[in-house]
Amino acid sequence: SSMTGVAAAETILKWGEHLPQCCSMYTAAADWAVKETAKRSKGDLKINITYGGVLATVGEIPSAIENGVIDMGNLVTPYFPDQFVINNAIPFFWPQPKSQQQLGELMLKWHKEIPAFGNELAKYKLRLIAVRPLPPYGLICNKPIRTLADFKGKRIRTFGPALPAMIEALGAVSVGMPDVEAYEALSNNILDCSTADIALVDAFKLQEVAKYFIDVPMGASWGHIIVMNTNKYASLSADQKKVIDSLKGDHLTELLRLFRAKEAELKAKWASTGSVEVIKLPADEFLKVTLGSPKVQAVRASWKTRAIAAGMSAAEAERVVNDINN
Amino acid sequence: MSDLTIGFLGVFALLGSILLGAPIMVALTAVGFAGLILLSNFTAALSILGTLYYSIVSGFHFSVIPMFLLMGFFAMRAGIGADLFDACTKWLGRLPGGLALASTGAAAAFGAASGSSVGTATLFTKLALPEMINRGYDRGFAAASIAIAGTLAVLIPPSALMVVYGILTNSSIGKLLIAGILPGIVFSLIIIATIFIVSIINPKKAPADDRIYTWNERLWSLRMVGPLFLVIAIMLGGLYGGVFTPTEAGGLGALVTFFMATVRQRGFRGIEFGKTLLDTVVLTAMIFAIIIGGLLFARFLALSGVSGAIQAVLVDGGFSVWTVVAMVTVIYLILGMLMDAPSLLAISLPITHPVMIGLGFDPLWFGVYVIVLAEIGAITPPVGINCFVVKGAAGDLVTLEEIFGALTPFIIASFFMLAIMLLFPQIALWLPGLM
Amino acid sequence: MRQLFLKIYDCYGKSLWAFAMVAGAFTFAIMCVIDANALTRKLFNWPLPAALEITQALLVGAIMLPFAFTQLKRQHVSTVFLTSNLSPTTRRWLHLLWSIVGFLLFAAVTYGTYQYALRSYRMNEQIWGAAIQFAIWPAKMAVSLGTLLITVQFLLDAIGFALIADFRAKDDENAELQGNV
Ligand code: NA
Ligand code: NA
């Protein structure tokens, strides 16, 4: 605009992202959102993403947005199960039957229809802008798991509140370990398996050290939400708000498109090169063993208790649980 | 005032306060904090202080820094360095510059057990310098050869400085450590060649050892190398045998050297257990104070746009890659004269790392290159930490002027090392590429 | 007055030593936890419960508690090649300046980190280890404790440089030897 001399002062939004810029569908979709924002606002609204946690590490992002260090960023909700109890419903339910797309749509629907979701974010001056559901999870293993009994005694990397219970229900050993260590640990048999989606397998090159992807109906998983400082959002013009609001669904569509393309590409590559064998285990057997575990059930029940304590009505909490499971 | 102006003023304020004697961690943190207040507001800047410390000091893989330091101190108490020097002397002593060659070889090998350049230089000053001077070595040459040999310990894993680079640039620490192995070996060979050449040209500087060792003595001396090989074998065995992850290897190394020190000193009293732990935590606190300050300063630079502006000029400004590499190198040589290695990395990397990556250099390669540059800075006057500690450990045996005066051949050798890294980047990238 | 101050300075220094020794014990404990976890994982297929999370919590103390002792021992690196040419009086005022800056800065750090820890305490934030859960706030408070200790150390240094002409003058002679990596 300075070239034409009109000098309309564009609004610049600072987006802090803990992921590195290179090579993930999340950041590709973020870059798409940046371009789209500029286009839809006709240059009136500009977003600058600083990647790689330079402005805030993953643990600092909500506080950095709350205090206006940055205007927006990716909030990895599973890292904050006690701060964002309500928005953390999904990680308590493993296994569950929902796909990546269904979880993304569910989260958007909850935010639209159940005020407790937005209120919890607003308490920390955050507002939902977009969602990043994860693809369906499975297990990447360095030895074949052909029956459920094969899980017995296997060391499997887990994280979060619900995965350890599910893994232990299978008779396996749950191992806590940073994600960046998974490659080495799989290569020298410290781990037998790691929970992962296939894009994650590719990102950490786990297929080089683990040749078996065990397809079990764990369901997709939750990742991040993109949030903006509420004051910053309020300071935007009506037109700018409209542009930002329009991203919600479109960003999800783009993210899912990128994931589907990547998944198809990887699956074709695995099949044609034989680099990874996908082993499908009987779904009903898997669900019976895992859902039959009292520990798994206890973790699921705990979310409802926590959500009600955090200010949700029992009916709303019940609806969320049903939305996830049915 | 524009954000960019604030950013550049911050850079000057940082350099100014460091020159005026501010503790470098205070300078980095204070300028970063003040800059963030100016760029946003007090509450926002305060919130960054509030969250940054915990997010860094609770990072599991950063536990390798205290573990590597602990391992180095225990290795020292276990007498591993003394044994290596003894063995190397019996094999290399009769060559021109034999004792200097022996101390360099032993220091390089000791680097496989210690992650500290200064610690290694201190140890070998005590072990080798008195004997070299007794045998008629030029004082400065002998001391300078030890000061430079100490730097090998941070190229060869374990290396606390490599971990610092990894934290500051968010790079793979495991791969960085592996990347340093070959350059460390090449650099030790270059230093050995330098000592050899100087000793042949000017035998007065380093008279050959006249003691004669029989082959029996030599072969028998090899048993002294055993403990080091045991450490290396256990580390590699633990890693490839599926017992330890790379992050846990520091804990394993500390445990192994702890047992060796306890056996060697026959108990806890001899290993000065309390003092060893105290030395370790003081160094750990010193390093992390600089890392956190550096990360805060980096945030300030990123928000001000200075990092981006410099990157834009250097990457898209039509300079040839080699011009930029030369500029970056000269900046490190100049800053390296003035400060220690962790501070140098903390101050420079927010600017140089994105530039070099933007130009297409591999972050692992740049890590090793920067470590070599930082270690050149560790010997160059006026602030040459390794020369200071050699002087400190040597007492009245040598003056600081004598050490600085004898550095020239070693600085030439270091430039040769930089040239090799530029011409053959594979020496840093080949091993991690196999991982 | 001067005697009293030096006495307080000395006592405080001893307590900093004690905190540094606690950090030393934490460091040794980290080594033990890492090794025990790796061994039980390999030998008994039983990783130590929450070894990762315990290491993280210990690491916070190991790093933060010795911050102040490190300052007392003048081991936070600084460059003296320019200041060593200045007169002792000028050096004293520069030391006073940096002590005040350090005091104000770490007072702010302490306040900021304390607010952050307090929030964690209020929401009863937990470490969600694979097998056990425990509260995060003690580790977050340890950060504030470490920075509080160095805040007070900077304050005492500032008072010392303001009141006493040759306060810690001997340090300047050895200053070149600082820095250890
Ligand atoms: Na080393
Ligand atoms: Na220097």
Side-chain angles (χ1 to χ4, degrees), chain B residues 110-116 152-159:
Chain B
F110 186 65
S114 166
S116 155
L152 296 171
V154 298
L155 280 171
I156 295 162
S159 163

Side-chain angles (χ1 to χ4, degrees), chain A residues 25 28-29 32 100-101 250-264:
Chain A
M25 276 61 73
W32 174 88
Q100 184 178 21
Q101 175 170 359
D250 295 351
H251 168 271
L252 179 60
T253 310
E254 173 66 10
L255 184 71
L256 293 168
R257 187 188 69 77
L258 288 163
F259 263 104
R260 266 184 221 125
K262 185 74 186 179
E263 273 168 16

Side-chain angles (χ1 to χ4, degrees), chain A residues 14 18-20 50 52-61 63-64 66-70 155 176-178 180-181 183-185 187-191 205 208, chain B residues 3 36 39-41 43-45 47-48 50-53 55-56 60-61 170 175 238-248 295 298-299 302-303 434-435:
Chain A
K14 284 178 282 193
H18 89 275
L19 295 171
T50 307
V54 173
L55 294 182
T57 58
V58 62
E60 299 179 276
I61 282 176
S63 167
E66 178 184 357
N67 291 291
V69 178
I70 46 182
R155 289 182 292 264
M177 182 179 286
V180 290
E181 303 245 295
Y183 182 97
E184 282 290 323
S187 78
N188 63 11
N189 291 314
I190 287 178
L191 287 178
K205 298 194 171 71
E208 293 175 3
Chain B
D3 287 0
L36 287 167
L39 290 179
S40 47
N41 58 64
T43 320
S47 81
I48 298 186
T51 55
L52 177 64
Y53 278 76
S55 87
I56 300 306
F60 173 71
H61 37 294
N170 213 355
K175 287 191 176 179
L239 280 173
Y240 291 102
V243 187
F244 286 85
T245 68
T247 306
E248 294 166 341
L295 289 171
R299 281 188 193 178
L303 272 176
L434 297 181
M435 281 170 74

Side-chain angles (χ1 to χ4, degrees), chain B residues 40-307:
Chain B
S40 47
N41 58 64
F42 188 76
T43 320
L46 203 60
S47 81
I48 298 186
L49 287 184
T51 55
L52 177 64
Y53 278 76
Y54 180 78
S55 87
I56 300 306
V57 302
S58 63
F60 173 71
H61 37 294
F62 303 161
S63 65
V64 287
I65 288 188
M67 291 303 103
F68 281 173
L69 296 175
L70 196 59
M71 177 183 176
F73 282 121
F74 283 141
M76 222 177 273
R77 308 269 196 263
I80 290 176
D83 293 348
L84 288 168
F85 180 59
D86 192 53
C88 286
T89 305
K90 291 195 168 114
W91 286 86
L92 302 172
R94 288 190 64 82
L95 294 171
L99 285 176
L101 296 180
S103 77
T104 305
F110 186 65
S114 166
S116 155
S117 164
V118 164
T120 308
T122 311
L123 176 67
F124 281 89
T125 306
K126 298 215 156 132
L127 289 175
L129 190 66
E131 195 167 348
M132 289 192 209
I133 290 176
N134 270 341
R135 302 213 167 249
Y137 272 57
D138 176 273
R139 291 158 186 280
F141 178 69
S145 73
I146 295 172
I148 185 89
T151 69
L152 296 171
V154 298
L155 280 171
I156 295 162
S159 163
L161 197 58
M162 285 284 189
V163 181
V164 171
Y165 176 89
I167 298 175
L168 288 170
T169 62
N170 213 355
S171 329
S172 159
I173 289 167
K175 287 191 176 179
L176 271 170
L177 291 170
I178 303 297
I181 295 178
L182 280 183
I185 293 171
V186 169
F187 197 26
S188 20
L189 294 177
I190 292 175
I191 295 172
I192 283 174
T194 309
I195 293 171
F196 198 69
I197 293 167
V198 170
S199 309
I200 285 176
I201 296 175
N202 189 349
K204 274 193 210 131
K205 281 208 187 261
D209 195 346
D210 50 14
R211 285 173 295 187
I212 295 170
Y213 301 102
T214 65
W215 277 100
N216 269 343
E217 279 179 289
R218 286 182 182 172
L219 290 173
W220 183 234
S221 76
L222 286 183
R223 84 192 186 286
M224 308 292 264
V225 186
L228 177 76
F229 278 101
L230 194 59
V231 174
I232 297 174
I234 292 176
M235 300 272 286
L236 291 179
L239 280 173
Y240 291 102
V243 187
F244 286 85
T245 68
T247 306
E248 294 166 341
L252 173 65
L255 182 71
V256 171
T257 51
F258 169 70
F259 280 133
M260 285 180 174
T262 317
V263 170
R264 176 82 175 228
Q265 307 286 349
R266 290 156 211 260
F268 288 109
R269 188 181 294 271
I271 60 174
E272 301 172 276
F273 190 57
K275 187 179 178 304
T276 301
L277 291 181
L278 207 57
D279 287 350
T280 304
V281 296
V282 164
L283 265 184
T284 304
M286 179 277 237
I287 292 173
F288 275 93
I290 287 174
I291 290 176
I292 295 166
L295 289 171
L296 191 74
F297 182 69
R299 281 188 193 178
F300 158 59
L301 281 191
L303 272 176
S304 73
V306 164
S307 318

Side-chain angles (χ1 to χ4, degrees), chain B residues 332-340 374-386 388 404:
Chain B
Y332 274 96
L333 292 174
I334 292 171
L335 288 178
M337 289 183 183
L338 305 180
M339 61 190 75
D340 66 301
E375 290 303 314
I376 296 175
I379 59 167
T380 51
V383 182
I385 302 275
N386 277 26
F388 295 161
F404 283 141

Side-chain angles (χ1 to χ4, degrees), chain A residues 75-92:
Chain A
L75 166 57
V76 185
T77 46
Y79 274 49
F80 308 92
D82 298 300
Q83 188 173 355
F84 302 104
V85 174
I86 295 168
N87 281 276
N88 253 310
I90 295 162
F92 281 75

